[in-house]
C-alpha cells in the first residue's frame, strides 16, 4: 500500500509517499514518518482522513491501533492521510507531577520556615491549630494527587503540548504561594474551633470521595488508555456526570470554611470555572454518544457537576 501524506493545505509532506504492507497499522505509518523526519516522533503526529471539498465536519482521526486498510474505503493499494504537527509533546503524567509538586513543596515552606521576616514581620509567629491542620490537609491533597497520577489515572491522550507544563505550573504554583502566604501569615485570625473542625472534616470526606470516583473512572478504561467512552456508574456518578469534579469542588469549600481567606476563595472560584467548562463538555459529549438510537442506551438524567444547582 502506498500512503500519501499531505498537510492540511494539500502539500505533500513526504515526496512519493510511503510504501507499507497491506496489513500495516497506523502505528507502523507513524514510525515510518518518524524514520523519514526525525523530529516527528509518533506522539507529535496527528493523522486524519481528508474531507471532501466543501465539507466542514470534523475529520476522522486515525487510531494508532487500527490497520490502515480500515480507512482505505476498499482501496487496498493507496491511501491519503492529512498530517498535522502537534508540536513538542510531554506525557500527561509529567505535566501532572510537576504542577502538583509545586504546591506540595511551597506550602510547607511558609509553615515551617521564618519566611515572613523577609516581608517585614520580625516578631515571633504564633501558629494556630487551624494553620497546622491546614498544612496537613493541603499536603495530603497534593500527595494524593501525585499518587493518583502514577497509580490510578488512565489518560485517553498520552501527551500534551510542552507549553502545558509552564501554564499549568504557573496556575498551581502561583495559587499555592498565594494561599500559603495568607493562611500562615503572622496576622492571620482563625475561625472558631467548631467551624474549622467541621470544614476540615467535611473536606476530608470529600477527598476520600474524590479518590473513590477516580477508582471508578479507572475501571472504565483499559490499561492501554482506551478512548472508548462508557457511561460512568456507581456512587455519586448515579446522580452527577462529573462526580470527581463535584467532590473536588466541595473539598475546597471545606478547606475555605476552615481557613477563610480571600486567596482560598479565589482559588475555589477559578477551579470551579475551569472544571465547570470541562464538565459541561463531557456531559454534552456523553449525551450525544448515548442518544438511544441504533441500540445505544440513553444517557440517564443527571446533574452536570454541582448539585443542587446544575
Amino acid at each position: 500500500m502506498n500512503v500519501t501524506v499531505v498537510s492540511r493545505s494539500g502539500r505533500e509532506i513526504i515526496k512519493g509517499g510511503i510504501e507499507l504492507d497491506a496489513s500495516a497499522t497506523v502505528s507502523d505509518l507513524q514510525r515510518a514518518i518518524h524514520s523519514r523526519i526525525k523530529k516527528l516522533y509518533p506522539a507529535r503526529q496527528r493523522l486524519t482522513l481528508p474531507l471532501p471539498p466543501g465539507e466542514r465536519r470534523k475529520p476522522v482521526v486515525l487510531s494508532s491501533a487500527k490497520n490502515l486498510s480500515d480507512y482505505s474505503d476498499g482501496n487496498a493499494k493507496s491511501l491519503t492521510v492529512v498530517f498535522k504537527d502537534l508540536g513538542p509533546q510531554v506525557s500527561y503524567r509529567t505535566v501532572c507531577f510537576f504542577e502538583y509538586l509545586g504546591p506540595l513543596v511551597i506550602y510547607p515552606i511558609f509553615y515551617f520556615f521564618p519566611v515572613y521576616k523577609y516581608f517585614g514581620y520580625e516578631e515571633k509567629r504564633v501558629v494556630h491549630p487551624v494553620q497546622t491542620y491546614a498544612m496537613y490537609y493541603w499536603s495530603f491533597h497534593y500527595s494524593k494527587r501525585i499518587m493518583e497520577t502514577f497509580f490510578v489515572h488512565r489518560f485517553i491522550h498520552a501527551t500534551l503540548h510542552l507549553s502545558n507544563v509552564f501554564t499549568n505550573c504557573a496556575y498551581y504554583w502561583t495559587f499555592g504561594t498565594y494561599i500559603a502566604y495568607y493562611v500562615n501569615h503572622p496576622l492571620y485570625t482563625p475561625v472558631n474551633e467548631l467551624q474549622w473542625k467541621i470544614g476540615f472534616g467535611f473536606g476530608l470526606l470529600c477527598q476520600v470521595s474524590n479518590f473513590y470516583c477516580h477508582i471508578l473512572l479507572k475501571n472504565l478504561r483499559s490499561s492501554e488508555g482506551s478512548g472508548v467512552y462508557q457511561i460512568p456508574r456507581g456512587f455519586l456518578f448515579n446522580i452527577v456526570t462529573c462526580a470527581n469534579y463535584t467532590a473536588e469542588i466541595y473539598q475546597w469549600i471545606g478547606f475555605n470554611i476552615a481557613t477563610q481567606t480571600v486567596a482560598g476563595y479565589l482559588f475555589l472560584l477559578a477551579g470551579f470555572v475551569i472544571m465547570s467548562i470541562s464538565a459541561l463538555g463531557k456531559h454534552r459529549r456523553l449525551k450525544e454518544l448515548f442518544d438511544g438510537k441504533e441500540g445505544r442506551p440513553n444517557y440517564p438524567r443527571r446533574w452536570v457537576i454541582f448539585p443542587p444547582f446544575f
Side-chain angles (χ1 to χ4, degrees):
M1 174 183 286
N2 182 270
V3 182
T4 302
V5 184
V6 299
S7 67
R8 287 184 292 178
S9 64
R11 180 179 62 85
E12 194 169 1
I13 302 295
I14 297 174
K15 299 297 183 183
I18 298 174
E19 289 291 338
L20 293 168
D21 293 336
S23 60
T25 64
V26 174
S27 182
D28 292 330
L29 172 59
Q30 291 176 315
R31 285 192 291 269
I33 294 172
H34 181 214
S35 68
R36 300 286 189 89
I37 307 175
K38 293 300 181 184
K39 73 173 185 177
L40 299 179
Y41 45 88
R44 189 166 173 163
Q45 302 174 29
R46 182 175 183 264
L47 302 175
T48 60
L49 294 179
L51 290 174
E55 282 202 27
R56 296 187 178 277
R57 61 179 172 84
K58 288 185 178 180
V60 174
V61 179
L62 275 61
S63 171
S64 59
K66 287 190 173 183
N67 291 332
L68 289 171
S69 58
D70 295 335
Y71 300 101
S72 63
D73 196 24
N75 187 352
K77 293 184 178 180
S78 65
L79 177 68
T80 299
V81 299
V82 179
F83 170 86
K84 180 182 179 181
D85 181 5
L86 298 177
Q89 298 290 297
V90 63
S91 75
Y92 256 93
R93 285 186 170 82
T94 299
V95 175
C96 290
F97 172 72
F98 282 107
E99 69 186 26
Y100 300 149
L101 180 65
L104 181 61
V105 172
I106 291 168
Y107 195 102
I109 291 174
F110 283 87
Y111 178 82
F112 285 109
F113 297 99
V115 296
Y116 289 97
K117 69 179 183 180
Y118 300 108
F119 297 97
Y121 298 94
E122 297 293 342
E123 64 273 13
K124 184 175 176 62
R125 181 168 68 99
V126 176
V127 179
H128 302 284
V130 64
Q131 293 173 306
T132 300
Y133 283 101
M135 193 274 296
Y136 291 148
Y137 184 98
W138 182 279
S139 299
F140 173 74
H141 171 72
Y142 282 103
S143 297
K144 178 180 77 72
R145 279 198 164 190
I146 290 174
M147 295 297 288
E148 287 173 337
T149 296
F150 290 104
F151 301 108
V152 177
H153 294 322
R154 289 174 176 170
F155 302 100
I156 291 180
H157 302 292
T159 62
L160 285 168
H161 193 276
L162 179 63
S163 62
N164 285 276
V165 174
F166 305 104
T167 55
N168 290 22
C169 286
Y171 172 80
Y172 280 102
W173 294 27
T174 300
F175 266 118
T177 304
Y178 186 32
I179 295 169
Y181 176 84
Y182 282 104
V183 174
N184 296 290
H185 199 281
L187 301 181
Y188 175 79
T189 302
V191 298
N192 65 72
E193 184 176 352
L194 177 62
Q195 182 173 331
W196 65 256
K197 285 184 176 179
I198 291 174
F200 285 139
F202 173 72
L204 186 60
L205 177 64
C206 292
Q207 288 213 48
V208 174
S209 299
N210 174 259
F211 173 74
Y212 185 57
C213 288
H214 288 156
I215 294 294
L216 293 177
L217 289 175
K218 173 188 177 182
N219 294 334
L220 291 179
R221 297 177 187 163
S222 70
S223 58
E224 293 79 25
S226 170
V228 177
Y229 285 95
Q230 300 182 52
I231 298 176
R233 301 184 189 276
F235 191 45
L236 297 176
F237 285 109
N238 290 333
I239 58 173
V240 189
T241 292
C242 294
N244 53 319
Y245 290 170
T246 303
E248 179 82 8
I249 291 169
Y250 278 113
Q251 73 155 40
W252 286 117
I253 290 176
F255 179 85
N256 281 290
I257 288 172
T259 56
Q260 293 290 305
T261 64
V262 172
Y265 279 111
L266 287 175
F267 181 56
L268 170 63
L269 178 61
F272 175 78
V273 171
I274 292 169
M275 285 185 279
S276 295
I277 293 170
S278 177
L280 287 167
K282 291 179 180 180
H283 186 76
R284 184 167 53 249
R285 185 161 57 248
L286 287 168
K287 289 186 70 175
E288 290 173 353
L289 287 171
F290 300 101
D291 54 7
K293 299 176 181 177
E294 299 178 2
R296 294 184 294 269
N298 260 319
Y299 190 71
R301 184 177 177 84
R302 291 177 178 175
W303 300 101
V304 178
I305 182 175
F306 196 59
F309 303 104
F310 76 93

